[in-house]
Amino acid sequence: MKMFFRGNTDYKKIIFLSLLAVQAIVLALVEAQLPFPGGIPGIKPGLANMITVVGLIFFSLCDTALIVLVRCITATLFVSGPILFIFSAAGGMLGAVVMWLLLKYAQRFFSLIGISIAGAVAHNAAQILVACFIMSDLSVMSYLPVLLTWGIFMGVFTGVCSTFMVKILKKLNFIANI
Amino acid sequence: MNIPMLKKGDIILVLILVFGILLAVISRNDSDESRISWNNANDPGREEVLAIIKQDDRLIRTVNLSKLKKREVIRLPGQFNEFIVADQKKICFMSADCPDRLCVKAGWISKPGQLAVCLHNRAMIKIVKKGDKELEGITK
């Protein structure tokens, strides 16, 4: 965040951040077109989680939160209504914070797969909490086991994908000096 | 440069999560609701099933699905137009003009414990058994 207030603007960083944000938006748009795979409606693969992991590895929590916010706002404009913005923003933010905590303090124990599983689970939990709050009814909780099972599978998938992405980006050495 | 694919913590995390999910599923199956419906699977006509329609924290309507003789259409007021169709032993959001229409995609629901939700309109259909504690709490 500091780069916007300091005199010297870090254009390289801004460009890379916006590249990541665009990738997240495209993934969100693509996954909105996929049919929901059984179970409960509204279930989504959560591919944009991948970008959050990559952002957290190369940038700070603030920058990643910026990416998540931009992705949520744009996806809201394209796909869903204003209420679903609260959902995706709450889920994305909590997922980012949980993954940041794990990356900072528990990286010895978790690989990127475990971290993205934790992120997906936190995302689902936040969404269910927001849903309980909006509907003011606890029976929405009955969606939680289905969502968590789905979150584990998709967390493994996005974890593997982000491992490859981080490997390649580190090999490129483009962002090493940001 | 070398990023390990799997570490010990991952497996422990997944095991904890799977254990938690199993615990939640089993504890829900142990509660009276599912067990009774399981026992009555052969003669489903015996238990009375109610559908509760809620919107904006208010109870709009309670429909007794077991005693319903003919199809009934309920219109929900609010920001978006929504039509709920109640038929014998089942109920659904038939049509809606909210952005993603997840409530319509949820389809027909009929078993106690199932629910269909429209987040945009803050509307919800919940199916409960007659004489349930939950039902009394709502209608009060």
Side-chain angles (χ1 to χ4, degrees):
Chain A
M1 275 304 242
K2 265 182 200 155
M3 62 187 176
F4 300 112
F5 305 120
R6 249 187 284 141
N8 47 347
T9 316
D10 195 347
Y11 290 111
K12 210 171 164 186
K13 188 176 172 183
I14 290 182
I15 287 172
F16 199 80
L17 279 181
S18 45
L19 268 177
L20 280 184
V22 166
Q23 284 177 336
I25 291 166
V26 168
L27 283 178
L29 291 187
V30 165
E31 78 181 7
Q33 303 302 321
L34 297 175
F36 58 89
I40 65 170
I43 211 160
K44 276 194 290 187
L47 297 174
N49 200 13
M50 209 162 10
I51 306 299
T52 316
V53 177
V54 174
L56 279 174
I57 286 179
F58 289 109
F59 301 103
S60 65
L61 178 65
C62 267
D63 301 328
T64 315
L66 215 60
I67 294 177
V68 171
L69 206 63
V70 167
R71 185 244 296 175
C72 289
I73 291 173
T74 320
T76 308
L77 288 179
F78 279 118
V79 184
S80 53
I83 289 189
L84 290 199
F85 169 73
I86 310 173
F87 275 78
S88 51
M93 288 299 170
L94 192 71
V97 168
V98 165
M99 287 194 285
W100 177 72
L101 283 176
L102 284 183
L103 267 175
K104 197 169 180 193
Y105 296 110
Q107 212 183 359
R108 277 183 302 146
F109 308 113
F110 295 108
S111 71
L112 284 184
I113 296 176
I115 286 170
S116 63
I117 289 175
V121 166
H123 189 116
N124 291 335
Q127 284 190 324
I128 287 292
L129 280 182
V130 172
C132 280
F133 192 69
I134 285 185
M135 307 299 296
S136 57
D137 196 305
L138 279 180
S139 57
V140 188
M141 282 282 188
S142 61
Y143 282 155
L144 197 55
V146 188
L147 274 179
L148 288 190
T149 318
W150 187 242
I152 290 177
F153 285 116
M154 285 323 289
V156 171
F157 178 70
T158 51
V160 171
C161 289
S162 54
T163 309
F164 288 130
M165 194 165 168
V166 168
K167 252 182 203 167
I168 288 171
L169 283 178
K170 276 191 175 164
K171 216 179 273 175
L172 276 179
N173 222 7
F174 169 62
I175 29 181
N177 49 355
I178 287 180
Chain B
M1 191 70 72
N2 193 20
I3 306 169
M5 279 303 256
L6 262 181
K7 286 184 189 172
K8 209 181 269 177
D10 301 345
I11 299 161
I12 296 171
L13 180 72
V14 169
L15 283 183
I16 290 173
L17 283 174
V18 168
F19 184 70
I21 291 169
L22 283 181
L23 212 65
V25 170
I26 288 172
S27 68
R28 254 182 63 207
N29 280 346
D30 270 350
S31 67
D32 50 353
E33 200 171 88
S34 303
R35 187 183 289 163
I36 291 172
S37 65
W38 178 260
N39 287 342
N40 286 353
N42 292 326
D43 50 345
R46 247 176 51 197
E47 59 177 4
E48 291 198 8
V49 176
L50 300 183
I52 295 170
I53 302 170
K54 274 172 79 181
Q55 189 185 22
D56 292 336
D57 311 339
R58 285 182 297 117
L59 180 77
I60 300 279
R61 186 83 194 268
T62 312
V63 186
N64 191 331
L65 291 180
S66 303
K67 286 189 176 162
L68 207 63
K69 282 288 177 283
K70 60 181 190 212
R71 186 172 272 228
E72 192 172 336
V73 179
I74 301 156
R75 187 180 171 279
L76 275 190
Q79 196 183 355
F80 302 100
N81 281 317
E82 285 182 339
F83 292 96
I84 295 173
V85 172
D87 208 340
Q88 288 164 1
K89 300 196 180 72
K90 57 185 181 178
I91 189 166
C92 77
F93 283 99
M94 191 50 100
S95 75
D97 52 7
C98 53
D100 49 9
R101 302 203 299 147
L102 289 179
C103 44
V104 179
K105 285 178 190 161
W108 293 100
I109 54 175
S110 56
K111 293 194 195 74
Q114 282 186 315
L115 71 165
V117 181
C118 176
L119 293 168
H120 300 275
N121 231 350
R122 295 185 68 198
M124 182 165 77
I125 311 176
K126 190 159 63 165
I127 297 197
V128 293
K129 263 191 3 281
K130 196 169 190 181
D132 211 340
K133 265 179 267 164
E134 218 175 340
L135 178 66
E136 285 155 19
I138 289 170
T139 45
K140 222 183 282 179

